Amino acid sequence: MSNHYNSAPLAYNYPLIIKQLLNRAKTVSQDQEIIYADKIRMTYSDLFARINRLANVLADLNLDAGDVVAVMDWDSHRYLESYFAIPMSEYILQTVNVRLSPEKVLYTINHAKPKVLMVNSEFAPLIKDYQFENSSIEHIIWLDDNGITVEGVFGDNQSRVTGEYESLLKAVDDEFDFPEFDENTIATTFYTSGTTGDPKGVFFSHRQLVLHSMAEAATLGMLPNKQGVSYGDVYMPMTPMFHVHAWGFPFTATMVGLKQVYPGRYAPDTLLDLIINEKVSITHCVPTILQMVLGEAQERNASFGGLKMIIGGSKLTEGLAKAALAQDIEVYTGYGMSETAPLISLTEFSLDEPEMSEEEDIARRCMAGKPVLMVDAQIWSEKNQSVGTGKDKTGELVLRAPWLTQSYFKNDDAGTELWENGYMHTQDIAYMRPDGYINITDRLKDVIKSGGEWISSLEIETILSLHPSVADVSVIGVRDKQWGERPMALIVLKPDAKETSSDDIKAVAEQAVERGIIPKYGIPSEFKFVDDLPKTSVGKHDKKLMREMYADQTEI
Amino acid sequence: MSNHYNSAPLAYNYPLIIKQLLNRAKTVSQDQEIIYADKIRMTYSDLFARINRLANVLADLNLDAGDVVAVMDWDSHRYLESYFAIPMSEYILQTVNVRLSPEKVLYTINHAKPKVLMVNSEFAPLIKDYQFENSSIEHIIWLDDNGITVEGVFGDNQSRVTGEYESLLKAVDDEFDFPEFDENTIATTFYTSGTTGDPKGVFFSHRQLVLHSMAEAATLGMLPNKQGVSYGDVYMPMTPMFHVHAWGFPFTATMVGLKQVYPGRYAPDTLLDLIINEKVSITHCVPTILQMVLGEAQERNASFGGLKMIIGGSKLTEGLAKAALAQDIEVYTGYGMSETAPLISLTEFSLDEPEMSEEEDIARRCMAGKPVLMVDAQIWSEKNQSVGTGKDKTGELVLRAPWLTQSYFKNDDAGTELWENGYMHTQDIAYMRPDGYINITDRLKDVIKSGGEWISSLEIETILSLHPSVADVSVIGVRDKQWGERPMALIVLKPDAKETSSDDIKAVAEQAVERGIIPKYGIPSEFKFVDDLPKTSVGKHDKKLMREMYADQTEI
């Protein structure tokens, strides 16, 4: 029967491409504001004209559909323009993670092979050593806020420089007729931070980003005003635009027509100034940035005036949540990763909240939240079977959603592993409560498998960290003949607590067993005191290295 | 380059099919409530089981993918179940408009050719005369709340009766594995009321309904709590489920996991009881129903407690809006039509509302609203060119959106006309303000073209209705040698005002010209007093008939 339902010859078969995100804003938000730090104030009307201008600049470079345009910039109105103009022109936007080590930054550029590099003058030192001879980069567009000219910066490769961004924009027309094309066309690519091995490239289609934007608007919209987003909110990112599309918010906020503030390079004083002066009401960041702005505000005795803040990237601890709430920040958790575009789950708030204590309220803000609209989230056993819900049903969190990377770029094996059995494997160990709240207990790689049972290294670390002598602690699995693996605790003592013994620390774990918080087999078989714990480039415990370092010491 | 971005072999290429709307609700909303009038209270958990059971009942009928299942019911939990189970089984749900005349109801059934009819016992009299001999209907499922058994109802066609809904559901398993299929598969069909000519069938794909649900959630979510939707709201339809998917809300509310209330046949006392007892907080209806419940509440001296209500179908007048606000209903306007699934535009409210007077506030609530996310709305001249914005830029409202019917079922000519030049033609005459508010001034068919200028018949009617002697008035265009068309006013005088003359009425129009409210050429060239104005089956002025009746009297 279905084929009896014919479409009219000129019926518009609406493709989900990024230019459609602008439909509403173009009609209703022409006068809305966009602000770049203390440098630029413009309107959406200007934004639309500048997107068209950037498209004209790129069109003059004679690129092919599917060519990559890489951007290295702090959070700016330029970045916002590139979010739209590049994919809308059927090119692929590479958001270069400038926080990686210099070698890794250059690795991601060599791997994605952009034809155009839009680079902020502040990154000139990083890019100076780049081997342009073997590079895909044919055109360089110079972004600058500090009066640094591009003359001489690229030595022999000066001829590749197309010009300075603002001059280029001024020289072209402010109208551009964006093409229509297949919604499955790739729109963006970027690289995971790659704490182990080389960074891996993820990629997202127009359709995926449009659906992510719609779901993000719906999800944030469904939260009450106090925590969610409504018309009239003011958005500023505090997770950078090179990091998973700044959570997709620049797309979503533009679609909705919110006032937007882009803070440039993150500095606590600038961030706080902008929050206060521009009345920023919704943002997202990692715990470290939250801590920085909390400190800045305390020094100034300033309040955040109910700023709504979603925390992701690392776990929001209950202590930090409490501190943020005390300084009038409505803080809560979103969960996602590079592979997921990123939004997967979010703390829920409701108009008809059940009675709850402050502890319960804070606890839910620190969990990974409930799955958002359209997301199919399950906890799987090692046999790739759903284990259901409940605190005792721990397994790997696996996902289906309309916006998950379909593989890793030029890394088919890793892509196949990512999508084993038709669900995306997060490598996060979690359980799901019957009400849908997800609680991440560990990374799959860091979980310790002892006698057929799983031990959460995170959980044991949290327990041991409660001992007043402990400055830092990491728990890893080491090989064991009888049990397969057993936990070993690596402990850094506080300078004034050097006499503390293993047994003192062990006593905390034993007490946790008595209280039923951890299982008996969770008590580490060995406690090692060390001066320092190895860390990755982004400051996380490098457990892979630790496992290598202590592999020799097994069997314990 | 695009083809370098390979998908992993088992990457899930997420189709936008209706079963995906349940992903979040299945994880987080199992205990949420669904209520059917004063008859049934159940949970989402029950809903999911019953959807599976209905799918098993249908599976036993050996239908083919694409077969049509027609439903004739008042708003019930059963209807909600059919919204999901039928399309999720790859059949097409026909929502039969039972408010049409009996011949037209049967016409729509004969036209859509359902193999299954699910029919409420209250419609037995209507269906009794149906010619089953030549019918597509092979199976009848009996829906009943009143203890009326199906025995003997269908005479010789009793063998087509599969059984009673609840008994059938009880007899089958509560698990069903819904298939995956192309998101462009048709999910629903229904018929426009067809005030002129036969009803026309519109149809919507899974993809369209999923996108409509996401955009509706985002749009309602972006409104502040006072007018929009948040987690914790309680939904009840007051536009029937056979009418444009009850505005798509049953899909959206289920996706979001709201408590839902289905009121059965609309009776003012039941509606008000449910609003009060179940704490209904969001609904939608036509002005007539609003008037009914306002009256009922006044009699009982009851308040609506801030009930949020979207009005569509007919224009919300400023008087009615004022009355509703006074009785604590947050009333505002949504615009859409059968062809648009239906949501196109909505009144905007914001956290940072500009200062406005009560008159301004009420005026915006009565306009057609601003386009919602993803909608491309334009005003076109007769030459199919966008005329831009401004009160003097009147033309036809044309649309692109991801959820517009792609034609009319088995009526290619009408479909081609609907999609002339690649935009969907609403046949509504409107202008758009620079801030995006749409104001509908007339139906295209009813607009009067005089000397190259367009005269809004609605506007002239509003002016003439201000004369205290006028009970009812209709303004139509009649042929004119010099001007092409000229307006003629047909006036019903109040019983006690029979001496009123044409000149008395004309004076009101002349005063409106003086004040610049209407143009001089808007004054009707002729005023006719009549006893009655012809009306359509749904009670609207039948201008088509009037034009025919008075065609002879031209040229004036």
Side-chain angles (χ1 to χ4, degrees):
Chain A
M1 281 286 288
S2 283
N3 50 350
H4 295 189
Y5 294 81
N6 300 319
S7 292
L10 294 181
Y12 184 62
N13 189 1
Y14 195 110
L16 299 176
I17 55 180
I18 286 174
K19 76 169 181 178
Q20 313 278 18
L21 295 180
L22 302 180
N23 286 341
R24 181 176 199 276
K26 275 190 176 170
T27 311
V28 314
S29 312
Q30 294 280 348
D31 297 334
Q32 184 61 278
E33 278 189 303
I34 294 166
I35 288 125
Y36 172 37
D38 56 354
K39 298 177 176 66
I40 308 268
R41 303 188 79 85
M42 57 187 228
T43 63
Y44 272 51
S45 176
D46 299 325
L47 170 70
F48 302 139
R50 289 170 60 90
I51 288 171
N52 290 347
R53 287 179 186 274
L54 176 52
N56 276 314
V57 169
L58 295 171
D60 287 345
L61 303 180
N62 291 312
L63 307 176
D64 294 318
D67 277 347
V68 175
V69 179
V71 177
M72 294 176 73
D73 197 3
W74 303 118
D75 291 4
S76 69
H77 62 311
R78 295 178 298 248
Y79 223 138
L80 182 65
E81 288 149 22
S82 75
Y83 266 50
F84 288 94
I86 294 169
M88 281 163 62
S89 299
E90 213 177 338
Y91 311 132
I92 296 169
L93 165 66
Q94 181 191 1
T95 55
V96 179
N97 183 346
V98 295
R99 286 259 173 76
L100 296 178
S101 66
E103 316 87 74
K104 285 198 171 172
V105 170
L106 301 183
Y107 171 88
T108 66
I109 292 175
N110 286 329
H111 194 263
K113 301 208 179 303
K115 277 209 191 144
V116 185
L117 177 67
M118 293 171 48
V119 59
N120 187 312
S121 58
E122 295 186 31
F123 303 115
L126 197 161
I127 216 77
K128 235 173 46 191
D129 298 330
Y130 184 63
Q131 302 296 316
F132 277 101
E133 295 66 37
N134 308 315
S135 165
S136 59
I137 298 174
E138 296 172 9
H139 312 280
I140 296 166
I141 296 177
W142 189 245
L143 317 178
D144 177 69
D145 299 310
N146 308 309
I148 302 171
T149 67
V150 72
E151 271 68 54
V153 172
F154 293 101
D156 295 347
N157 295 289
Q158 201 68 24
S159 63
R160 298 181 199 238
V161 177
T162 308
E164 186 271 327
Y165 189 80
E166 288 300 327
S167 318
L168 291 170
L169 254 55
K170 273 200 198 92
V172 294
D173 197 68
D174 66 356
E175 300 222 343
F176 189 87
D177 194 15
F178 286 100
E180 305 239 322
F181 43 81
D182 186 337
E183 64 187 28
N184 295 305
T185 303
I186 300 301
T188 65
T189 183
F190 55 88
Y191 287 74
T192 62
S193 51
T195 50
T196 57
D198 284 329
K200 293 200 286 283
V202 296
F203 49 90
F204 300 95
S205 69
H206 282 254
R207 170 186 163 108
Q208 291 184 312
L209 295 179
V210 168
L211 292 172
H212 185 271
S213 304
M214 292 176 76
E216 187 163 66
T219 297
L220 273 299
M222 280 299 145
L223 297 182
N225 296 345
K226 198 173 177 193
Q227 292 91 11
V229 176
S230 300
Y231 292 134
D233 267 312
V234 180
Y235 165 68
M236 180 174 85
M238 303 212 298
T239 318
M241 295 176 85
F242 55 73
H243 185 75
V244 207
H245 316 120
W247 285 58
F249 269 85
F251 289 122
T252 305
T254 307
M255 172 179 78
V256 168
L258 301 185
K259 174 177 166 182
Q260 300 179 57
V261 181
Y262 290 92
R265 184 177 189 149
Y266 293 173
D269 56 341
T270 313
L271 292 175
L272 187 60
D273 284 349
L274 289 169
I275 289 168
I276 293 169
N277 299 336
E278 301 298 342
K279 300 189 170 54
V280 172
S281 60
I282 175 80
T283 187
H284 47 80
C285 67
V286 293
T288 320
I289 301 278
L290 168 55
Q291 245 152 355
M292 276 169 35
V293 293
L294 282 179
E296 177 74 19
Q298 240 160 1
E299 263 177 41
R300 292 201 216 170
N301 209 3
S303 157
F304 289 92
L307 173 65
K308 299 170 267 202
M309 180 185 284
I310 310 170
I311 297 290
S314 300
K315 189 176 164 57
L316 172 64
T317 64
E318 309 206 341
L320 186 57
K322 215 165 172 172
L325 287 165
Q327 285 182 245
D328 207 8
I329 297 181
E330 268 297 328
V331 73
Y332 56 101
T333 298
Y335 168 81
M337 53 205 324
S338 295
E339 287 81 352
T340 67
L343 190 60
I344 291 300
S345 60
L346 202 68
T347 307
E348 185 179 88
F349 299 88
S350 166
L351 294 175
D352 65 343
E353 299 255 298
E355 286 274 322
M356 69 181 86
S357 66
E358 195 196 342
E359 282 68 35
E360 287 166 327
D361 178 37
I362 288 180
R364 70 160 164 173
R365 291 173 191 262
C366 296
M367 284 189 282
K370 296 184 181 182
V372 306
L373 302 175
M374 311 302 288
V375 169
D376 174 7
Q378 302 184 8
I379 307 294
W380 274 13
S381 70
E382 285 178 279
K383 290 174 184 157
N384 287 325
Q385 282 168 336
S386 170
V387 298
T389 59
K391 211 182 161 189
D392 56 331
K393 305 282 176 57
T394 296
E396 187 184 3
L397 177 64
V398 299
L399 303 170
R400 283 180 168 177
W403 47 79
L404 309 180
T405 190
Q406 297 288 287
S407 186
Y408 293 109
F409 182 44
K410 294 189 212 158
N411 193 342
D412 291 347
D413 289 349
T416 300
E417 202 179 317
L418 183 70
W419 278 102
E420 205 189 327
N421 281 65
Y423 274 73
M424 204 206 89
H425 291 253
T426 62
Q427 306 228 32
D428 276 332
I429 301 302
Y431 65 84
M432 192 184 282
R433 299 201 321 198
D435 63 1
Y437 266 111
I438 297 166
N439 211 353
I440 310 281
T441 57
D442 212 342
R443 287 290 296 164
L444 183 56
K445 286 177 215 131
D446 299 338
V447 89
I448 298 156
K449 289 164 198 165
S450 174
E453 300 289 344
W454 283 8
I455 298 169
S456 159
S457 62
L458 262 185
E459 215 168 58
I460 311 299
E461 285 161 12
T462 306
I463 297 296
L464 300 184
S465 73
L466 295 177
H467 192 286
S469 302
V470 172
D472 202 359
V473 55
S474 207
V475 174
I476 57 170
V478 290
R479 217 173 317 138
D480 181 88
K481 253 187 206 151
Q482 190 178 354
W483 302 106
E485 270 188 347
R486 287 295 300 145
M488 170 193 276
L490 303 171
I491 291 160
V492 182
L493 289 174
K494 289 183 183 163
D496 56 353
K498 294 294 181 196
E499 302 94 69
T500 310
S501 72
S502 312
D503 284 348
D504 294 342
I505 309 285
K506 193 174 180 178
V508 183
E510 285 167 344
Q511 196 150 357
V513 171
E514 254 173 59
R515 292 194 185 166
I517 301 170
I518 57 168
K520 189 151 194 300
Y521 51 81
I523 301 176
S525 297
E526 197 167 0
F527 294 81
K528 268 199 185 302
F529 294 111
V530 294
D531 290 339
D532 218 356
L533 291 171
K535 302 239 168 64
T536 68
S537 64
V538 292
K540 290 181 183 178
H541 285 180
D542 192 341
K543 290 198 175 176
K544 197 189 170 210
L545 184 55
M546 292 185 218
R547 280 190 292 264
E548 283 165 15
M549 285 166 66
Y550 295 95
D552 291 345
Q553 309 212 359
T554 59
E555 324 281 339
I556 46 177
Chain B
M1 281 285 287
S2 283
N3 50 350
H4 294 189
Y5 295 81
N6 301 320
S7 292
L10 294 181
Y12 184 62
N13 190 1
Y14 195 109
L16 300 176
I17 54 180
I18 286 175
K19 75 169 182 178
Q20 313 276 17
L21 295 180
L22 302 181
N23 285 342
R24 181 177 199 276
K26 275 190 177 170
T27 310
V28 313
S29 311
Q30 294 281 349
D31 297 335
Q32 184 61 277
E33 277 189 304
I34 294 166
I35 288 126
Y36 172 37
D38 56 356
K39 298 177 177 65
I40 308 267
R41 304 188 79 86
M42 57 187 229
T43 64
Y44 272 50
S45 175
D46 298 326
L47 171 70
F48 302 139
R50 288 171 60 91
I51 289 171
N52 290 349
R53 288 178 184 275
L54 177 52
N56 275 316
V57 168
L58 295 172
D60 287 344
L61 302 180
N62 291 313
L63 307 176
D64 294 317
D67 277 346
V68 175
V69 179
V71 176
M72 294 176 73
D73 197 4
W74 304 117
D75 291 5
S76 69
H77 62 310
R78 294 179 299 249
Y79 223 137
L80 182 65
E81 288 149 21
S82 75
Y83 265 50
F84 289 94
I86 294 169
M88 281 163 62
S89 300
E90 214 177 339
Y91 310 132
I92 297 169
L93 166 67
Q94 180 190 2
T95 55
V96 179
N97 184 345
V98 295
R99 286 261 173 75
L100 296 178
S101 66
E103 315 87 73
K104 285 197 171 171
V105 170
L106 301 183
Y107 170 89
T108 66
I109 292 176
N110 286 328
H111 195 263
K113 301 208 178 305
K115 277 211 189 142
V116 184
L117 176 67
M118 292 170 50
V119 59
N120 187 311
S121 58
E122 295 186 32
F123 302 115
L126 197 162
I127 217 75
K128 235 174 46 190
D129 297 330
Y130 184 65
Q131 301 295 316
F132 277 100
E133 294 67 38
N134 307 315
S135 164
S136 59
I137 298 174
E138 296 173 8
H139 312 279
I140 297 166
I141 295 176
W142 189 245
L143 316 176
D144 177 69
D145 298 311
N146 308 308
I148 301 172
T149 67
V150 71
E151 272 67 52
V153 172
F154 292 100
D156 295 347
N157 295 289
Q158 200 67 26
S159 63
R160 298 182 199 237
V161 177
T162 308
E164 187 271 329
Y165 189 80
E166 289 300 327
S167 319
L168 290 170
L169 255 56
K170 274 201 197 92
V172 294
D173 198 68
D174 66 357
E175 302 223 341
F176 189 87
D177 195 14
F178 286 100
E180 304 241 323
F181 43 81
D182 186 337
E183 64 188 26
N184 295 305
T185 303
I186 300 302
T188 64
T189 183
F190 55 88
Y191 286 74
T192 62
S193 53
T195 50
T196 58
D198 284 329
K200 294 201 285 286
V202 296
F203 48 89
F204 300 95
S205 69
H206 282 255
R207 170 185 163 107
Q208 291 184 312
L209 295 179
V210 168
L211 292 171
H212 185 271
S213 304
M214 291 177 77
E216 188 164 65
T219 298
L220 272 297
M222 281 299 146
L223 297 183
N225 296 346
K226 198 174 175 193
Q227 292 89 12
V229 176
S230 301
Y231 293 133
D233 267 313
V234 180
Y235 165 68
M236 180 174 84
M238 303 212 296
T239 319
M241 296 177 84
F242 56 73
H243 187 74
V244 206
H245 317 120
W247 284 60
F249 268 86
F251 289 123
T252 304
T254 306
M255 173 179 78
V256 168
L258 300 185
K259 174 177 166 182
Q260 300 179 58
V261 181
Y262 290 91
R265 183 176 191 150
Y266 293 173
D269 55 342
T270 313
L271 292 174
L272 187 60
D273 284 348
L274 289 170
I275 290 168
I276 294 170
N277 299 336
E278 302 297 342
K279 301 189 170 54
V280 172
S281 60
I282 175 78
T283 187
H284 47 81
C285 67
V286 292
T288 318
I289 301 279
L290 168 55
Q291 246 153 352
M292 275 169 36
V293 294
L294 283 179
E296 176 74 19
Q298 240 161 0
E299 260 176 44
R300 291 201 217 169
N301 210 5
S303 158
F304 289 92
L307 173 65
K308 300 170 267 202
M309 181 185 285
I310 311 169
I311 296 290
S314 300
K315 191 176 163 53
L316 173 64
T317 64
E318 310 207 340
L320 185 57
K322 216 166 171 170
L325 287 166
Q327 285 183 245
D328 206 8
I329 297 180
E330 268 296 329
V331 74
Y332 57 100
T333 298
Y335 168 80
M337 54 207 321
S338 296
E339 287 80 354
T340 67
L343 191 61
I344 291 300
S345 60
L346 202 68
T347 307
E348 185 179 88
F349 300 88
S350 167
L351 294 175
D352 65 341
E353 299 255 298
E355 285 274 320
M356 68 180 86
S357 66
E358 195 196 342
E359 282 69 36
E360 288 167 325
D361 178 38
I362 288 179
R364 71 160 164 172
R365 292 174 191 260
C366 296
M367 284 189 283
K370 295 184 180 182
V372 304
L373 302 175
M374 313 301 289
V375 169
D376 175 6
Q378 302 184 7
I379 307 294
W380 274 13
S381 70
E382 284 178 281
K383 289 172 185 158
N384 286 325
Q385 282 168 337
S386 171
V387 298
T389 59
K391 210 182 158 185
D392 56 332
K393 304 282 176 54
T394 296
E396 187 184 4
L397 177 63
V398 300
L399 303 170
R400 283 180 169 178
W403 47 79
L404 309 180
T405 191
Q406 298 287 288
S407 185
Y408 293 109
F409 183 44
K410 293 189 213 161
N411 192 344
D412 291 347
D413 289 350
T416 301
E417 202 178 317
L418 183 70
W419 278 102
E420 204 188 327
N421 281 65
Y423 274 73
M424 204 205 89
H425 291 254
T426 63
Q427 306 229 30
D428 276 330
I429 301 303
Y431 65 84
M432 193 185 280
R433 300 200 323 197
D435 63 1
Y437 267 112
I438 297 166
N439 210 353
I440 309 281
T441 57
D442 213 343
R443 287 289 296 166
L444 183 56
K445 285 176 217 134
D446 299 337
V447 88
I448 299 156
K449 290 162 198 166
S450 174
E453 299 289 346
W454 284 7
I455 298 169
S456 160
S457 61
L458 263 185
E459 214 167 60
I460 311 300
E461 286 161 12
T462 306
I463 298 295
L464 300 185
S465 73
L466 296 177
H467 192 288
S469 302
V470 171
D472 202 359
V473 56
S474 207
V475 174
I476 58 170
V478 291
R479 217 175 313 143
D480 181 85
K481 250 187 207 149
Q482 190 179 355
W483 302 107
E485 272 188 345
R486 287 294 301 143
M488 172 193 275
L490 303 171
I491 291 160
V492 182
L493 289 174
K494 289 184 182 161
D496 57 352
K498 295 294 181 195
E499 301 95 70
T500 310
S501 72
S502 311
D503 284 347
D504 294 342
I505 309 285
K506 195 174 180 178
V508 183
E510 285 167 344
Q511 195 150 355
V513 172
E514 255 173 59
R515 293 194 183 163
I517 301 171
I518 58 169
K520 189 153 193 300
Y521 52 79
I523 302 175
S525 297
E526 196 167 358
F527 294 81
K528 268 199 185 303
F529 294 112
V530 294
D531 291 340
D532 219 355
L533 292 170
K535 302 236 169 64
T536 67
S537 63
V538 292
K540 291 181 180 175
H541 285 180
D542 191 342
K543 290 196 175 177
K544 199 190 169 211
L545 184 55
M546 292 184 218
R547 280 190 293 265
E548 283 165 15
M549 286 167 66
Y550 295 95
D552 291 346
Q553 309 210 0
T554 60
E555 322 281 337
I556 47 175

